[in-house]
């Protein structure tokens, strides 16, 4: 079945460090891929998306490239800030049965 | 504009009681989703509404769970005879329509605690 596997957390980085959060997926067909972010005390927000192979989604300095050959959608940021501290969810779909598949989430803490 | 609104934000209740959770989607969004986020787990799909079509209930974990959507707008998720394992954050999301590239907009969730 369709699924998303996300890098386990928590991840702790110093300010201005490089961030990578790995995400790989299993799916039939050609799903869209998403990264959602949940800041402390807030609801989920869409961070970026890519709808087809080789697309790059980007927002707020974050990037992720839809790699069909490696079935991956890794999230990267060149220089993290304290304000980036949040839980990040990789997601796939929705597919024909209407449900999106989410990873377990990766908690990022950025220290000054 | 207004986002997805959920109420209550927190609910504490005793085991065996029924609870109702409400979701008010973004105006004009025809698709509405309910998810459950248990501690340390990913999001678990519960149910999906699209316009006036019959809902996709394939994710409901038991017959104690039900949901309805009146007038194609507000939705209520009902859990009957609550159990401690029902404790979780229940998230509602809406989108412009069905489709792989329609992002979902999430509410802040209802944190449900069963004593």
């Amino acid at each position: 079945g369709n699924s998303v596997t996300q890098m386990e957390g928590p991840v702790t980085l110093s300010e201005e460090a490089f961030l990578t959060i790995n995400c790989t997926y299993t799916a039939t067909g050609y799903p869209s891929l998403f990264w959602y972010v949940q800041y402390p005390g807030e609801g989920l927000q869409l961070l970026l998306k890519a709808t087809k192979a080789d697309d790059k989604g980007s927002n707020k300095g974050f990037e992720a490239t839809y790699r069909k050959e490696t079935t991956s959608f890794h999230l990267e940021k060149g220089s993290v800030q304290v304000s980036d501290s949040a839980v990040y969810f990789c997601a796939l779909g929705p597919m024909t049965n209407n449900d999106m598949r989410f990873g377990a989430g990766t908690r990022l803490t950025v220290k000054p | 504009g207004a986002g997805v609104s959920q109420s209550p934000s927190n609910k504490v209740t005793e085991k065996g009681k029924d609870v109702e959770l409400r979701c008010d989607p973004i105006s004009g969004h025809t698709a509405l989703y309910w998810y459950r986020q248990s501690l340390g787990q990913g999001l678990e799909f519960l149910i999906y509404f699209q316009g006036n079509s019959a809902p996709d209930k394939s994710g409901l974990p038991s017959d104690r769970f039900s949901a309805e959507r009146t007038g194609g707008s507000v939705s209520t998720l009902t859990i009957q005879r609550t159990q401690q394992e029902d404790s979780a954050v229940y998230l509602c999301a809406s989108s412009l329509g069905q489709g792989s590239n329609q992002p979902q907009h999430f509410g802040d969730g209802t944190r449900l605690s069963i004593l």
Side-chain angles (χ1 to χ4, degrees):
Chain A
N2 301 325
S3 65
V4 174
T5 302
Q6 189 174 340
M7 173 178 162
E8 287 189 21
V11 174
T12 302
L13 295 173
S14 298
E15 208 164 21
E16 298 183 4
F18 184 85
L19 169 72
T20 300
I21 301 178
N22 290 340
C23 172
T24 57
Y25 68 90
T26 302
T28 54
Y30 303 97
S32 290
L33 299 171
F34 304 84
W35 277 99
Y36 283 82
V37 59
Q38 187 174 26
Y39 296 105
E42 299 184 15
L44 279 170
Q45 303 172 28
L46 177 65
L47 180 59
L48 54 84
K49 69 174 184 178
T51 58
K52 61 183 187 297
D54 299 326
D55 266 4
K56 177 187 284 187
S58 61
N59 187 23
K60 298 182 181 180
F62 290 88
E63 293 184 340
T65 301
Y66 190 160
R67 301 278 189 205
K68 189 166 179 289
E69 63 277 12
T70 54
T71 61
S72 65
F73 193 55
H74 304 323
L75 182 68
E76 296 182 337
K77 186 173 185 180
S79 176
V80 293
Q81 305 300 312
V82 173
S83 57
D84 294 327
S85 297
V87 181
Y88 293 82
F89 291 88
C90 185
L92 170 159
M95 305 300 289
T96 54
N97 59 344
N98 300 320
D99 64 306
M100 287 187 73
R101 299 286 172 163
F102 286 81
T106 302
R107 182 177 298 279
L108 170 67
T109 301
V110 180
K111 301 197 170 186
Chain B
V4 176
S5 176
Q6 289 188 246
S7 62
S9 54
N10 283 284
K11 177 73 176 178
V12 180
T13 193
E14 292 179 350
K15 176 182 169 181
K17 301 284 190 184
D18 298 351
V19 295
E20 283 191 354
L21 313 179
R22 177 189 167 104
C23 173
D24 206 336
I26 293 173
S27 178
H29 280 192
T30 58
L32 186 149
Y33 302 77
W34 282 99
Y35 295 91
R36 179 167 68 176
Q37 184 180 12
S38 301
L39 188 64
Q41 303 296 315
L43 287 172
E44 175 189 6
F45 167 77
L46 297 177
I47 189 169
Y48 163 76
F49 295 89
Q50 171 59 40
N52 295 321
S53 302
D56 176 356
K57 304 179 182 179
S58 59
L60 294 178
S62 78
D63 58 9
R64 297 187 294 105
F65 288 72
S66 62
E68 60 179 25
R69 188 179 185 190
T70 53
S73 180
V74 172
S75 177
T76 302
L77 176 70
T78 301
I79 309 173
Q80 296 178 307
R81 306 180 302 281
T82 52
Q83 304 295 313
Q84 287 187 329
E85 62 263 27
D86 299 335
S87 297
V89 176
Y90 289 82
L91 289 164
C92 176
S94 69
S95 68
L96 275 172
Q98 182 181 356
S100 183
N101 62 351
Q102 293 289 347
Q104 296 179 23
H105 301 262
F106 285 80
D108 288 342
T110 294
R111 183 174 299 278
L112 177 64
S113 300
I114 309 300
L115 302 178

